[in-house]
Amino acid sequence: MGGVASAVGLGLFGAWALREDEKPAPSDARTPIPTEMGPTSTVPPPRLLEIKTVRSKARGRDVEVVAFRPDGVAPGVLPVCLALHGRGAGARVFTELGVGDQLSAAAAYAVVAVDGGDASYWLKSSPTDDPPAMLADELPGWLTDLGLNPRPFAVLGISMGGYGALNYVRDHRETVRAAAVLSPALFTSWTDARARNVFDSRAQWEQTEPLRHIDALADVELGVWCGEADPLLPSANRLIDTARPAVARTAPGGHTADYWVTAMPEALSFLGSHI
């Protein structure tokens, strides 16, 4: 009885005297969440948007390089799509067109834009301003500095940039697998081309006009997008009829940023399918 009484007495009045390691856990106890879930990486995550100013010897001036990377992709050397802007714009225009929001980890590649001149049509305009030489000789080093593949697998061009993109295909057929042009500024006659006040001569236009060199596009997967109210629709249709692109889209819209924003997701998806 004494033992029982002692136990009862302890139960009623002496629970506080139990050793700490003998006390029952409180009813609301939870398993603690580990503060570390394995080793942490010391590699910083990639910057999704990076803008750099670099010196271009080919263009005789400083230019901006704008790089877009997809979210959710581990650091590493990504394939690259080169983006060529239109007349009156610069490399940063692609931020306004939502390029960064459209890139996906499912088809992981970077888009890199560079300044090519206000009205150059991505052609050499003088001995001291040579955009094609910049793309051929300087761009690979800039891409390497960004931790990207130095040889673009694809090219995207808008308006004047479409003219440049199709010429880039001609100059880099060994590495470019796909091209997408939105509202490409092409010309079916010298009269139309001369009115742009960009070409040094008829000979320069004839040598560089993509519609006169359709055979050079034969080995590249091509996509063409143009608004139905775009004044350049006839030349876009000429490109569609003669080049027979893998994707050809005409839809409501003009030669405007509003149209390019709507066409951009499909164009980027098309390019991503050719990595």
Side-chain angles (χ1 to χ4, degrees):
M1 289 293 295
V4 173
S6 297
V8 172
L10 180 61
L12 293 176
F13 305 109
W16 57 271
L18 291 172
R19 298 199 322 269
E20 287 297 322
D21 60 355
E22 293 177 340
K23 289 183 179 180
S27 60
D28 63 345
R30 299 291 187 270
T31 301
I33 299 175
T35 56
E36 294 186 4
M37 304 297 289
T40 57
S41 173
T42 58
V43 179
R47 295 172 62 181
L48 302 185
L49 171 63
E50 192 167 355
I51 301 175
K52 298 180 65 174
T53 299
V54 296
R55 184 68 181 177
S56 171
K57 292 181 180 179
R59 295 207 58 219
R61 69 198 70 198
D62 290 343
V63 298
E64 283 193 332
V65 179
V66 180
F68 305 87
R69 292 179 174 86
D71 195 5
V73 177
V77 179
L78 288 173
V80 170
C81 169
L82 172 63
L84 304 184
H85 62 78
R87 188 169 187 171
R92 290 194 187 215
V93 72
F94 290 97
T95 63
E96 302 168 15
L97 298 178
V99 167
D101 298 331
Q102 302 299 331
L103 297 181
S104 167
Y109 68 97
V111 174
V112 176
V114 62
D115 291 335
D118 179 62
S120 69
Y121 274 69
W122 295 91
L123 301 175
K124 181 178 180 179
S125 58
S126 75
T128 57
D129 193 358
D130 191 344
M134 174 185 68
L135 298 179
D137 303 331
E138 298 177 311
L139 179 65
W142 299 338
L143 294 178
T144 298
D145 291 344
L146 287 165
L148 301 171
N149 191 304
R151 304 293 176 184
F153 80 96
V155 59
L156 164 71
I158 295 178
S159 188
M160 177 185 83
Y163 195 102
L166 296 177
N167 276 304
Y168 185 84
V169 168
R170 290 176 61 193
D171 294 338
H172 301 270
R173 295 171 69 178
E174 72 282 2
T175 54
V176 176
R177 297 194 293 274
V181 291
L182 281 58
S183 306
L186 309 177
F187 309 103
T188 57
S189 71
W190 168 234
T191 300
D192 291 342
R194 183 172 52 188
R196 296 287 164 162
N197 295 318
V198 241
F199 302 100
D200 292 340
S201 64
R202 179 169 185 162
Q204 185 193 38
W205 170 70
E206 290 179 346
Q207 290 166 5
T208 60
E209 171 56 58
L211 291 176
R212 301 177 69 88
H213 302 276
I214 293 297
D215 290 348
L217 308 176
D219 297 329
V220 173
E221 292 295 313
L222 176 63
V224 180
W225 288 259
C226 193
E228 293 172 346
D230 193 321
L232 291 173
L233 180 62
S235 57
N237 281 334
R238 176 74 67 86
L239 177 64
I240 291 169
D241 292 341
T242 54
R244 307 301 296 268
V247 175
R249 296 278 189 268
T250 57
H255 200 83
T256 65
D258 288 341
Y259 171 74
W260 300 328
V261 167
T262 62
M264 189 66 71
E266 186 181 17
L268 293 175
S269 177
F270 166 76
L271 294 172
S273 69
H274 293 91
I275 296 175

